[in-house]
Amino acid sequence: MTHDTPMHEALALARLGYALTEPNPRVGCVITTADGRVIGRGHTQQAGGPHAEVMALRDAHAKGESVRGATVYVTLEPCAHHGRTPPCCDALIAAGVGRVVMSLVDPFPQVAGQGAARLRAAGIEVQVGDEADAAREINIGFFSRIVRGRPWVRLKAAISLDGRTALPNGASQWITGIEARTDGHAWRKRASALLTGVGTVLDDNPRLDVRLVDTPRQPLRVIVDSRLETPPASRILDAPGAVLLYAAQADATREAALKERGAEVALAAGPSGKVDLPAMLADLARRGVNELHVEAGHKLNGSFVREGLVDEFLIYVAPTLMGLGRELAAFGPLERMEDRLALRFISVTPVGDDLRILARPAAAVPF
């Protein structure tokens, strides 16, 4: 695959970090000579592994290339702190590169401009802003968690052309075709955590894992279950990976049975006797969840919408009519047209016989 610019290639490398780098950001790096020849490429590895800049430096070294005076294109500011790995800015300084072009300043407080400052102090030219919007989209969950203290919430649903997600009796398999379902699993793959409600667990007994696309890891699975009604024999507890239930009231017997199945239970009680969704999101952020992918029923979907917690709607629309049935999200009723949730389309893409719509609230991204 060819790329228009080195930064475009760095962005493509960053996307290889989906399902790999959590909770760290997905970063790509390309190193070029003065005449534009690419001599090193890399992307951030799993948490605790090398970052994109180090991988690109290693790549150049393995090819016998000198990086002294070279230009480094990186999709996020090189880190400036000792975490699980040494600072990337120090590695670039030691390598003697001449210029660093980065898309975005890292919002993480221990970096937040310090990497760029240290590079400049070492006499390295630093340029900021190349392909900033595209780089932010790749790491929109990371930015949300660091800046807002909550994950980026993506609500996914498959609907008929008349807006139904299920028949009145709850039957919903399958509204869309295999291509759309596979595409949906690709979106599951990029998420840090997948969330559903206990109603969906009881009605559909889903696994809620990534199966239709290859993945190096399974996202955390989260169940909103105010009264701990999830049966210990549920399939969601059989699939590989961790399961976390949020409850509004303690029940030692039910909690013990779920823990016996390997699940973790956390309390997030709200004043209504149900799970406090904002408190749950804050806790998930503390656990390192960047992107939260919601696949729930109309009631829980309605609660997320009503509380203004949905950042993005991922909707698959099938060319079919279902008549009476369950809606996408149960909220309202509204008394004024002005109270509608205004959305803007980000993309509308054919997927097999269906359409994939990506839409966000009309207000600008809040960070």
Side-chain angles (χ1 to χ4, degrees):
M1 178 181 292
T2 59
H3 300 275
D4 295 337
T5 69
M7 190 59 83
H8 286 157
E9 183 168 4
L11 291 167
L13 288 166
R15 295 184 185 99
L16 297 178
Y18 289 146
L20 179 66
T21 67
E22 309 295 328
N24 294 337
R26 305 140 178 169
V27 183
C29 181
V30 170
I31 303 175
T32 70
T33 60
D35 61 1
R37 183 170 59 89
V38 175
I39 58 174
R41 300 175 175 86
H43 64 86
T44 298
Q45 302 300 297
Q46 69 282 355
H51 291 186
E53 300 92 328
V54 171
M55 293 296 292
L57 289 170
R58 289 180 181 177
D59 184 44
H61 178 74
K63 295 174 180 175
E65 299 281 2
S66 171
V67 300
R68 187 157 297 278
T71 296
V72 176
Y73 294 86
V74 63
T75 58
L76 190 67
E77 178 183 12
C79 63
H81 67 293
H82 281 272
R84 297 185 185 181
T85 59
C88 290
C89 64
D90 289 355
L92 295 174
I93 292 168
V97 304
R99 183 167 72 116
V100 174
V101 180
M102 62 188 198
S103 299
L104 294 164
V105 172
D106 191 333
F108 190 63
Q110 291 177 275
V111 184
Q114 297 177 59
R118 281 166 60 173
L119 291 168
R120 290 189 176 107
I124 297 172
E125 179 187 349
V126 177
Q127 176 184 331
V128 183
D130 189 8
E131 296 293 341
D133 289 343
R136 184 184 297 271
E137 284 297 317
I138 293 171
N139 282 307
I140 198 161
F142 175 76
F143 272 76
S144 177
R145 177 171 66 86
I146 299 302
V147 176
R148 297 192 298 175
R150 50 164 276 193
W152 178 262
V153 176
R154 179 180 298 114
L155 192 156
K156 180 265 181 182
I159 65 172
S160 62
L161 196 59
D162 50 353
R164 302 304 180 189
T165 60
L167 298 176
N169 63 6
S172 62
Q173 295 182 341
W174 298 102
I175 293 175
T176 55
I178 184 60
E179 296 89 348
R181 299 200 298 275
T182 301
D183 191 70
H185 276 242
W187 284 88
R188 283 185 181 183
K189 172 182 174 178
R190 69 169 281 170
S192 307
L194 311 176
L195 179 145
T196 195
V198 66
T200 298
V201 173
L202 294 173
D203 290 346
D204 298 340
N205 196 19
R207 290 174 56 180
L208 198 68
D209 58 359
V210 180
R211 301 184 303 281
L212 301 183
V213 297
D214 292 333
T215 182
R217 67 96 172 92
Q218 288 292 339
L220 170 70
R221 294 188 301 284
V222 180
I223 306 172
V224 179
D225 186 357
S226 295
R227 295 186 294 272
L228 288 181
E229 297 174 297
T230 297
S234 298
R235 294 203 306 164
I236 197 169
L237 302 176
D238 291 328
V243 178
L244 172 62
L245 293 91
Y246 282 96
Q249 50 190 275
D251 186 312
T253 300
R254 292 181 177 182
E255 183 174 344
L258 292 166
K259 286 184 175 180
E260 182 72 19
R261 295 283 279 113
E264 179 183 353
V265 175
L267 289 178
S272 65
K274 296 183 178 180
V275 169
D276 184 319
L277 296 181
M280 177 192 72
L281 293 180
D283 185 64
L284 286 171
R286 288 189 290 270
R287 294 170 182 264
V289 172
N290 293 330
E291 294 183 18
L292 179 65
H293 180 99
V294 177
E295 292 193 24
H298 61 298
K299 293 180 181 179
L300 183 53
N301 285 349
S303 295
F304 271 96
V305 171
R306 186 169 51 251
E307 296 189 40
L309 301 176
V310 181
D311 297 306
E312 185 169 74
F313 292 86
L314 174 66
I315 308 299
Y316 295 89
V317 184
T320 186
L321 301 176
M322 293 171 57
L324 294 177
R326 298 181 181 180
E327 67 268 54
L328 169 64
F331 68 99
L334 305 180
E335 296 182 356
R336 304 181 308 160
M337 290 293 283
E338 292 81 358
D339 295 332
R340 293 173 297 170
L341 175 59
L343 304 175
R344 58 189 174 94
F345 290 130
I346 303 301
S347 63
V348 179
T349 308
V351 181
D353 293 330
D354 307 305
L355 286 180
R356 182 187 68 207
I357 296 175
L358 201 64
R360 294 176 182 170
V365 173
F367 53 87

